């Protein structure tokens, strides 16, 4: 398992809301406890809302506070994405403004929520290009809301291009990591797809309904 895949797996394990000991995570992923500590530091730095310290365990935070504002996770997602897009603009003034804004957010947010602005922008490389999946956002959200199947062309982490029929169930981000959770009819299992690796998401003329074993609530933790 690559480091990037391991970080995504850790996010999936932590988002059940339970407290997970580093030793249990290390056993689950077949790595050392020291590796888990390094991975957690990397998730902290990338803006993933993880709470915990070595020796106490780790869990996902439910809310993010930005005094005097209180942001829902989806609202912070939108803020992160906006900064990411502007920071990649050709206009140097806009880039500088995005970096300045990221620094201000870094200073305002609790340290366990987001580290230095430069850190979360690059911590999960090669998933640092958050804007790559933006072109698919509208169609993915519409398909989830309309219960519409999609034909997905997906670039696997090893570089292979796969074509899948999926039932899109949830679109979310953890810091810089944008994921589409879906029931993959091609492989007959749940899958998390990185948005930056989606080549195309074509709506199919077929809707889907909830079926036991294929619903989001049936997804194993």
């Amino acid at each position: 398992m690559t480091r990037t895949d391991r970080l995504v797996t850790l996010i999936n394990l932590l988002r059940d809301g339970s407290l997970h000991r580093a030793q249990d995570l290390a056993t689950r992923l077949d790595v050392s406890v020291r590796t888990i500590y390094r991975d957690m530091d990397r998730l902290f730095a990338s803006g993933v809302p993880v709470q915990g310290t070595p020796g106490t365990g780790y869990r996902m935070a439910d809310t993010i506070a930005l005094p005097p504002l209180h942001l829902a996770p989806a609202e912070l997602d939108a803020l992160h994405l906006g900064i990411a897009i502007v920071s990649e603009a050709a206009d140097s003034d806009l880039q500088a403004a995005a970096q300045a804004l990221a620094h201000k957010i870094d200073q305002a947010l609790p340290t366990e929520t987001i580290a230095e602005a430069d850190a979360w922008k690059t911590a999960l490389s090669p998933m640092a290009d958050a804007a790559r999946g933006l072109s698919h956002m509208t169609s993915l959200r519409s398909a989830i809301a309309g219960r519409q199947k999609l034909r997905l062309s997906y670039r696997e982490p090893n570089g292979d291009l796969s074509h899948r029929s999926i039932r899109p169930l949830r679109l979310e981000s953890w810091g810089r990591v944008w994921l589409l959770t879906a029931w993959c009819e091609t492989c007959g299992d749940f899958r998390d797809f990185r948005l930056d690796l989606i080549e195309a998401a074509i709506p199919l003329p077929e809707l889907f309904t909830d079926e036991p074993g294929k619903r989001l609530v049936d997804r194993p933790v």
Side-chain angles (χ1 to χ4, degrees):
M1 182 183 295
T2 66
R3 181 176 61 188
T4 297
D5 290 338
R6 189 172 66 249
L7 292 173
V8 172
T9 300
L10 278 172
I11 290 172
N12 285 329
L13 292 173
L14 293 173
R15 66 184 180 184
D16 66 354
S18 300
L19 188 67
H20 295 266
R21 298 188 309 129
Q23 180 62 61
D24 295 335
L25 294 171
T27 300
R28 181 81 173 264
L29 298 179
D30 195 25
V31 296
S32 67
V33 173
R34 185 182 296 274
T35 295
I36 294 297
Y37 290 156
R38 287 198 297 265
D39 287 347
M40 288 303 171
D41 288 341
R42 203 165 186 83
L43 292 177
F44 286 141
S46 71
V48 178
V50 177
Q51 292 179 333
T53 57
T56 63
Y58 301 91
R59 62 158 53 98
M60 284 291 183
D62 293 330
T63 59
I64 301 99
L66 180 62
L69 300 176
H70 293 272
L71 300 182
E75 293 170 336
L76 188 59
D77 288 346
L79 186 58
H80 278 174
L81 181 60
I83 292 174
I85 294 170
V86 175
S87 67
E88 294 163 3
D91 190 314
S92 59
D93 290 338
L94 286 177
Q95 289 181 346
Q99 292 168 2
L101 178 57
H103 179 70
K104 291 179 180 178
I105 293 171
D106 173 42
Q107 296 301 310
L109 286 171
T111 55
E112 70 271 15
T113 302
I114 186 169
E116 296 184 22
D118 286 342
W120 67 255
K121 288 178 184 176
T122 58
L124 290 181
S125 181
M127 287 187 285
D129 188 3
R132 282 191 61 187
L134 180 63
S135 61
H136 305 300
M137 286 285 188
T138 300
S139 60
L140 293 176
R141 291 185 185 277
S142 296
I144 292 170
R147 318 291 284 173
Q148 186 170 32
K149 294 184 181 180
L150 295 173
R151 179 67 172 173
L152 203 69
S153 295
Y154 186 73
R155 184 70 61 181
E156 301 291 345
N158 64 4
D160 293 341
L161 183 65
S162 65
H163 302 282
R164 303 167 178 272
S165 174
I166 67 167
R167 301 182 179 198
L169 301 175
R170 177 174 59 193
L171 185 62
E172 61 183 342
S173 72
W174 299 99
R176 294 279 289 178
V177 185
W178 285 85
L179 298 174
L180 170 67
T181 300
W183 170 263
C184 178
E185 297 194 326
T186 303
C187 66
D189 202 355
F190 292 97
R191 283 287 307 274
D192 288 314
F193 297 99
R194 286 169 40 187
L195 262 64
D196 62 306
L197 296 181
I198 295 177
E199 299 284 342
I202 302 173
L204 296 175
E206 184 178 356
L207 303 181
F208 64 89
T209 58
D210 286 340
E211 295 181 36
K214 299 180 181 180
R215 302 167 299 179
L216 189 59
V217 294
D218 299 319
R219 185 186 187 279
V221 177

